[in-house]
Amino acid sequence: MFKKILIANRGEIAVRILRACRELGIKTIAIYSEADRQALHVRFADEAYLIGPSPARESYLRGDRIIDIARKSGADAIHPGYGFLAERADFASGCVDAGLVFIGPKASSIAAMGDKAIARTTVAKAGVTIVPGTEGEGPLRDDELLAIAPIIGFPLLIKATSGGGGKGMRDVHNIQEMPELLLSARREAESSFGDGNVYLEKLVEGAHHIEFQIMADQFGNVIHLGERECSIQRRHQKLIEESPSPFLADDEPLRQRMGAVAVQAALAVDYANAGTIEFLVDKERNFYFLEMNTRLQVEHPVTETVTGMDIVTEQIRVAFGLPLSRKQESIRCRGAAIECRINAEDPYNNFLPSTGRITLTQPPTGPGVRIDTGIYAGFEISPYYDPLITKMIVWGETRLQAIVRMRRALEEYKIVGIRTNIPFHQTMMDTYPFITGKYDTRFVEEQFSMIDAAENRELYLDIAALMATMVAYGQMEHRAQVYGQPGNRSNWKWANRPEKLIR
Amino acid sequence: MKYIAEVDGLEFPVEILDEHHARFGEEILEVDLAAVSGQPLYSMIVNGESFEGYVYPDEGSWQVLLLGCSYSVNIEDEREKRLRSSESGLIRADLEFTLKAPMPGLAIDVQVNEGQQVKKGQTLIILESMKMQNDLRAPIAGSIVRLRIKVGESVQQKQILLCIVPNSSGDTQI
């Protein structure tokens, strides 16, 4: 087995990979930016090296420096996690050229699937249905895209060719708004991925976003680990994922068909390691290939929870050259798992990012709850990176048990110092369409509002009033003790200083 | 001390009798409030019922996050009422718009210059935070004054970025 692995990532996923390495008895190397000196992944690792200043492009995206550190510190392999360099073919081949194992697919598979246009052509050739769009046409100029748009028809999506996570993606409803949206999509894609190329895709309405986890070894064995329903999204960012999909439910033939297509898509690019095939499924249960993510996925714990397979450990094993530890027949999904992505975003302030020092964190524990996080009290959330700070995954024998367990765990989870979207998840867990599993990708943006949802919930106006009054009284008393002495009191100071005390 | 707490248009008279008792409407409640680890997270026991919530000061009022819901609570005592009425005379009708950063971030583009005329809805600044780019647009038409941000600068939340003075017209209503 590998002796030492460098983890080219940060945050919760770096911690997740460190844990797998430690369980396998493999030494770990963390890298970090100036902002992350005190991050958990740095503290947990056997070795840690500063890679550069806080902005990602000067640190976590510096593939050359990372490979250099791996070589100098005697690593056998690099695990890229997700985001950053995970889907950069040049980084994967750079690792191999430096004599390091890249824990992921071959550079050629990343290139084939990473450029979404090529990916779509490849799977279309393999007989997989794709969503109509400018697939396989290579980089197009704005005037070309504007000419093609009416042919595909509105509404449509502008998507970044090298994109992911909703970055560089825009909904377009008419031709008039398209030039400006193209401009901003390209700009965001350029700054996120270093590639401003975009393509167009028909927007399938009332669609479900359902993806299949696949796992492949270097001997041509490919299995799938079932699906994840990822239709709870906001601005194309997934917020909640679950398995099994309540939309597929007990439609086992459809599940098997989609799983087989996922395996076929992986085989089409000679795939090895963990990957995810994303599908759009319309109301009539037609499914279309959307894209393949050639990496470990944020929501992989959902699949781990229902299948019992440790996907990160399996990734390391197959990268080392071992065959898959399980066969397709032995994959059984048990119960239901739900993941809530806890972001440093304020759901009461238009989901704007929230930064600052975490002053207290009290994660939920107890039966069926898993927390993957990189935060702790005292850690500073900086504006440089992704807002995802914690993933909470619960398991239940049934979907309903998973929902009530998630409710319980969300209320237990206390994070102070920054604002989080936990109240969003709490509201969602009480929302009828979610409980009944009748939601699609447009649900959050078109039918869900925190305010409307609150109207249907049990309210504690009196308790809130009392609590705020007691707190206000306590602070007033405190101020009175500090400033209450008679004497040389300036009204200017009186007006200004108490505000500072509140902070 | 007597307070009026207002939530969602409902007024709750609260009189703090001592540290552990409050008159809430007609009722006298036994209340115990404890800040968890000195944080704005509070455990409150009211006549034996236990609650936990966050209480944050929020521009003159209070935000309470309790059991997955947010409440905006306005609290007034007599002293504050007096203060408020004496201050209100100082607030002048201010017609210019001040653009503040809605979040901490990095200005990756500033599309206007001082003195420039802008249209309503025009993009002024592009702010990047946590890898997302946000267009900050002009809510009113006018000319840019006091531009206090340059490309590449980091800003704090609520930091003033610029002001827009509406184009003066003869029929300004004051």
Side-chain angles (χ1 to χ4, degrees):
Chain A
M1 188 39 77
F2 297 123
K3 298 274 177 300
K4 214 190 242 189
I5 291 176
L6 183 145
I7 295 140
N9 217 301
R10 64 176 303 281
E12 66 85 20
I13 197 62
V15 173
R16 166 71 188 95
I17 298 161
L18 278 159
R19 286 176 168 147
C21 291
R22 190 141 291 170
E23 288 171 13
L24 289 165
I26 300 168
K27 293 272 186 227
T28 52
I29 305 167
I31 52 158
Y32 62 96
S33 69
E34 282 165 6
D36 274 344
R37 169 62 189 87
Q38 300 198 29
L40 211 55
H41 73 282
V42 178
R43 294 173 51 203
F44 275 15
D46 293 306
E47 296 174 35
Y49 300 98
L50 177 67
I51 194 103
S54 306
R57 62 187 80 87
E58 295 172 60
S59 51
Y60 297 104
L61 287 170
R62 286 290 304 271
D64 52 336
R65 293 212 55 200
I66 293 168
I67 290 173
D68 210 37
I69 288 171
R71 255 201 314 224
K72 284 189 183 138
S73 54
D76 312 307
I78 294 186
H79 195 308
Y82 55 69
F84 297 128
L85 298 166
E87 290 178 278
R88 290 266 294 269
D90 56 340
F91 180 69
S93 57
C95 289
V96 175
D97 294 346
L100 298 157
V101 173
F102 176 79
I103 302 177
K106 287 191 287 286
S108 59
S109 312
I110 300 178
M113 285 299 186
D115 186 311
K116 286 176 181 141
I118 299 175
R120 292 157 56 85
T121 327
T122 310
V123 301
K125 272 190 203 140
V128 178
T129 325
I130 51 170
V131 185
T134 60
E135 79 281 358
E137 311 217 357
L140 297 177
R141 293 188 314 270
D142 282 7
D143 56 278
E144 294 169 314
L145 292 172
L146 286 164
I148 295 169
I151 302 165
I152 299 169
F154 295 96
L156 53 78
L157 279 171
I158 302 170
K159 295 176 92 173
T161 305
S162 314
K167 312 254 157 41
M169 198 186 284
R170 297 288 185 277
D171 293 7
V172 190
H173 297 280
N174 54 59
I175 194 88
Q176 288 77 23
E177 63 177 11
M178 199 168 146
E180 199 181 341
L181 291 169
L182 275 170
L183 192 71
S184 68
R186 285 188 192 276
R187 194 171 51 223
E188 196 168 283
E190 180 67 43
S191 92
S192 300
F193 317 109
D195 175 5
N197 282 317
V198 296
Y199 67 98
L200 304 180
E201 190 176 276
K202 173 118 190 90
L203 204 158
V204 178
E205 290 181 281
H208 285 254
H209 177 129
I210 297 174
E211 60 187 26
F212 275 71
Q213 174 74 52
I214 62 111
M215 197 76 206
D217 64 19
Q218 298 179 35
F219 307 100
N221 303 308
V222 185
I223 60 171
H224 74 82
L225 304 177
E227 83 279 11
R228 292 183 290 255
E229 167 79 58
C230 308
S231 299
I232 299 286
Q233 305 186 352
R234 198 183 156 273
R235 286 170 137 204
H236 304 288
Q237 305 252 34
K238 296 170 191 167
L239 289 167
I240 298 175
E241 301 96 350
E242 59 176 316
S243 186
S245 157
F247 182 71
L248 294 190
D250 44 19
D251 192 345
E252 201 55 36
L254 178 58
R255 178 174 290 116
Q256 289 315 325
R257 252 192 355 265
M258 292 176 74
V261 167
V263 167
Q264 203 182 334
L267 286 168
V269 290
D270 194 14
Y271 201 80
N273 219 286
T276 297
I277 313 286
E278 298 191 342
F279 294 105
L280 277 184
V281 187
D282 68 18
K283 284 172 270 193
E284 284 77 41
R285 295 181 178 247
N286 301 307
F287 64 92
Y288 307 89
F289 171 84
L290 199 56
E291 62 182 48
M292 178 173 194
N293 294 312
T294 55
R295 53 164 160 87
L296 182 64
Q297 201 94 343
V298 174
E299 58 273 25
H300 75 277
V302 171
T303 300
E304 293 187 324
T305 303
V306 288
T307 61
M309 181 186 265
D310 183 325
I311 292 172
V312 180
T313 298
E314 192 72 3
Q315 277 195 296
I316 296 171
R317 292 182 72 261
V318 300
F320 187 70
L322 295 171
L324 286 176
S325 64
R326 308 254 296 257
K327 295 215 176 337
Q328 189 68 63
E329 309 83 79
S330 72
I331 302 297
R332 291 272 179 282
C333 292
R334 204 176 133 254
I338 304 174
E339 171 180 273
C340 287
R341 295 193 188 193
I342 297 174
N343 291 338
E345 291 173 345
D346 187 352
Y348 297 111
N349 188 15
N350 204 22
F351 291 88
L352 287 177
S354 172
T355 57
R357 187 175 300 278
I358 299 200
T359 49
L360 180 144
T361 157
Q362 180 190 293
T365 50
V369 181
R370 166 175 170 182
I371 299 287
D372 278 22
T373 186
I375 63 158
Y376 60 90
F379 185 63
E380 177 104 20
I381 303 298
S382 71
Y384 298 106
Y385 316 110
D386 200 87
L388 177 69
I389 53 168
T390 292
K391 299 183 309 203
M392 177 145 76
I393 305 97
V394 300
W395 180 84
E397 266 188 83
T398 60
R399 184 170 182 270
L400 201 59
Q401 189 192 27
I403 292 172
V404 294
R405 187 164 272 168
M406 183 60 90
R407 272 192 199 155
R408 179 274 282 178
L410 286 166
E411 179 54 30
E412 275 180 37
Y413 207 166
K414 298 291 192 289
I415 299 172
V416 190
I418 54 160
R419 299 305 183 94
T420 74
N421 63 353
I422 288 175
F424 165 85
H425 289 300
Q426 289 184 285
T427 310
M428 188 59 78
M429 291 300 136
D430 282 356
T431 306
Y432 186 74
F434 185 81
I435 295 169
T436 52
K438 292 190 169 48
Y439 59 84
D440 61 38
T441 48
R442 295 274 139 172
F443 174 62
V444 174
E445 279 167 79
E446 290 176 3
Q447 293 157 50
F448 178 82
S449 106
M450 293 287 288
I451 295 157
D452 296 347
E455 280 174 7
N456 300 320
R457 308 178 73 203
E458 189 178 356
L459 292 179
Y460 294 88
L461 296 175
D462 49 351
I463 298 298
L466 184 59
M467 194 180 271
T469 310
M470 293 296 290
V471 171
Y473 168 76
Q475 297 202 349
M476 223 89 78
E477 285 294 286
H478 182 66
R479 275 188 235 173
Q481 278 165 22
V482 178
Y483 296 101
Q485 300 88 346
N488 58 341
R489 193 168 78 196
S490 146
N491 281 334
W492 284 108
K493 282 183 185 169
W494 176 257
N496 277 318
R497 290 168 74 173
E499 267 60 54
K500 288 183 183 152
L501 265 184
I502 293 168
R503 291 173 169 234
Chain B
M1 181 76 85
K2 279 185 186 171
Y3 299 90
I4 299 285
E6 182 265 322
V7 199
D8 258 8
L10 285 177
E11 288 196 345
F12 298 93
V14 185
E15 186 181 354
I16 312 278
L17 303 171
D18 61 46
E19 242 177 81
H20 292 288
H21 294 89
R23 191 194 308 275
F24 194 80
E26 300 298 303
E27 214 181 342
I28 292 187
L29 302 172
E30 206 174 310
V31 190
D32 187 67
L33 184 85
V36 177
S37 309
Q39 297 299 318
L41 171 65
Y42 295 91
S43 163
M44 184 171 78
I45 303 174
V46 187
N47 283 359
E49 271 194 87
S50 173
F51 297 93
E52 200 163 286
Y54 304 83
V55 183
Y56 297 105
D58 180 25
E59 294 183 349
S61 67
W62 301 83
Q63 185 194 13
V64 178
L65 288 182
L66 183 68
L67 293 160
C69 283
S70 173
Y71 303 87
S72 179
V73 187
N74 281 299
I75 299 168
E76 275 194 337
D77 66 9
E78 295 200 330
R79 183 176 55 185
E80 283 182 331
K81 229 174 202 168
R82 273 206 309 279
L83 262 170
R84 219 161 49 95
S85 57
S86 66
E87 270 172 1
S88 62
L90 297 171
I91 299 166
R92 63 190 183 85
D94 206 352
L95 290 168
E96 61 179 46
F97 168 77
T98 304
L99 179 69
K100 292 179 184 176
M103 65 206 138
L106 179 76
I108 60 164
D109 199 7
V110 177
Q111 304 189 342
V112 289
N113 296 308
E114 195 140 335
Q116 185 181 329
Q117 289 291 318
V118 293
K119 283 186 285 208
K120 185 177 172 184
Q122 183 175 339
T123 300
L124 307 169
I125 291 165
I126 298 170
L127 203 59
E128 185 181 80
S129 191
M130 288 178 165
K131 301 199 304 192
M132 295 295 274
Q133 297 188 355
N134 300 276
D135 291 8
L136 305 183
R137 293 166 190 273
I140 57 167
S143 60
I144 303 292
V145 295
R146 295 193 292 281
L147 181 64
R148 290 188 184 150
I149 177 81
K150 290 195 208 68
V151 173
E153 280 181 350
S154 293
V155 296
Q156 299 298 314
Q157 187 173 12
K158 294 188 182 167
Q159 184 175 326
I160 294 174
L161 305 176
L162 54 79
C163 297
I164 303 173
V165 180
N167 299 325
S168 55
S169 51
D171 57 348
T172 317
Q173 316 141 326
I174 295 178

